[in-house]
Amino acid sequence: AQRVTQPEKLLSVFKGAPVELKCNYSYSGSPELFWYVQYSRQRLQLLLRHISRESIKGFTADLNKGETSFHLKKPFAQEEDSAMYYCALHGSSNTGKLIFGQGTTLQVKP
Amino acid sequence: DSGVTQTPKHLITATGQRVTLRCSPRSGDLSVYWYQQSLDQGLQFLIQYYNGEERAKGNILERFSAQQFPDLHSELNLSSLELGDSALYFCASSAYSGRSDRGTDTQYFGPGTRLTVL
């Protein structure tokens, strides 16, 4: 079964501290992993995807197939990073269906 | 602005009623997806249409149905509403049907329709 697990509902850090949002997945094939972000009162938007290997807004994520993880990291958190973060998995080759984790709220305190 | 629009923004209705949620995809996008976001279930995939045809089905109840019209806008119909159907319903669109050699198309989300069933 395809599943995405984000173990933390809430992650609270101080500005300037490192951030790691955890994401583990379950999928037997070759998955594509994504991180979506939802800022307050805004729509869900793509933050990054593993195949592009980009760094967006200072965030990076590495796909670790051995540990089936795709953790999101940022070395120095900013207050504007406060938002809800969703990890998502695309497994099916014929559709665009995404499987989302439960989401983690990141709270960056001043 | 991603270009995906959804109407209405808010909908308040009673149990047993039927409602229709509307989604207009980004210009040129052929796929439309519907997701339900609730406190207990999180963000769940409901259904995908590609160029007018159903492409994938997720955890969509039999009381729910959707369609995509020739102009590519989509409607999600929810009937015999129950209290538990109260949620935020998102629509997303992408250029193609799914994965290709370029990887999976980015899905662009709309602002959502908040449904409250009383």
Side-chain angles (χ1 to χ4, degrees), chain A residues 9 30-32 34 36 38 43-46 49 51 86 90-102, chain B residues 1-4 33 35 37 40-43 45 48 55-56 90 97-99 102-104 106-107 109-111:
Chain A
K9 267 195 139 173
S30 185
E32 281 191 77
F34 305 82
Y36 277 82
Q38 188 175 29
R43 63 189 70 193
L44 215 65
Q45 55 187 286
L46 179 66
R49 52 199 295 170
I51 59 170
Y86 290 95
H90 177 263
S92 168
S93 60
N94 295 322
T95 79
K97 172 184 172 180
L98 291 176
I99 306 297
F100 284 88
Q102 291 287 86
Chain B
D1 190 319
S2 71
V4 179
Y33 308 81
Y35 293 89
Q37 185 181 40
D40 54 344
Q41 299 286 334
L43 198 60
F45 169 77
Q48 175 195 359
R55 180 56 65 107
F90 285 108
S97 65
R99 185 182 284 188
R102 303 170 294 106
T104 302
T106 296
Q107 291 184 26
F109 281 75

Side-chain angles (χ1 to χ4, degrees), chain A:
Chain A
Q2 300 177 29
R3 183 178 296 169
V4 176
T5 304
Q6 293 179 249
E8 303 137 329
K9 267 195 139 173
L10 172 67
L11 183 64
S12 188
V13 301
F14 284 101
K15 176 182 168 182
V19 169
E20 183 179 52
L21 298 167
K22 290 183 168 37
C23 171
N24 288 90
Y25 67 91
S26 173
Y27 181 66
S28 56
S30 185
E32 281 191 77
L33 275 297
F34 305 82
W35 276 99
Y36 277 82
V37 61
Q38 188 175 29
Y39 299 102
S40 179
R41 300 185 186 282
Q42 292 186 29
R43 63 189 70 193
L44 215 65
Q45 55 187 286
L46 179 66
L47 181 62
L48 54 79
R49 52 199 295 170
H50 89 270
I51 59 170
S52 64
R53 303 185 67 81
E54 290 178 297
S55 170
I56 307 292
K57 298 185 180 183
F59 285 98
T60 58
D62 288 317
L63 179 62
N64 185 323
K65 291 187 177 180
E67 295 183 0
T68 60
S69 69
F70 188 57
H71 303 327
L72 184 68
K73 298 177 185 179
K74 185 168 183 177
F76 308 103
Q78 303 298 314
E79 287 181 70
E80 54 266 30
D81 296 329
S82 295
M84 177 74 115
Y85 291 80
Y86 290 95
C87 183
L89 161 74
H90 177 263
S92 168
S93 60
N94 295 322
T95 79
K97 172 184 172 180
L98 291 176
I99 306 297
F100 284 88
Q102 291 287 86
T104 298
T105 299
L106 174 64
Q107 186 183 73
V108 182
K109 297 178 284 191

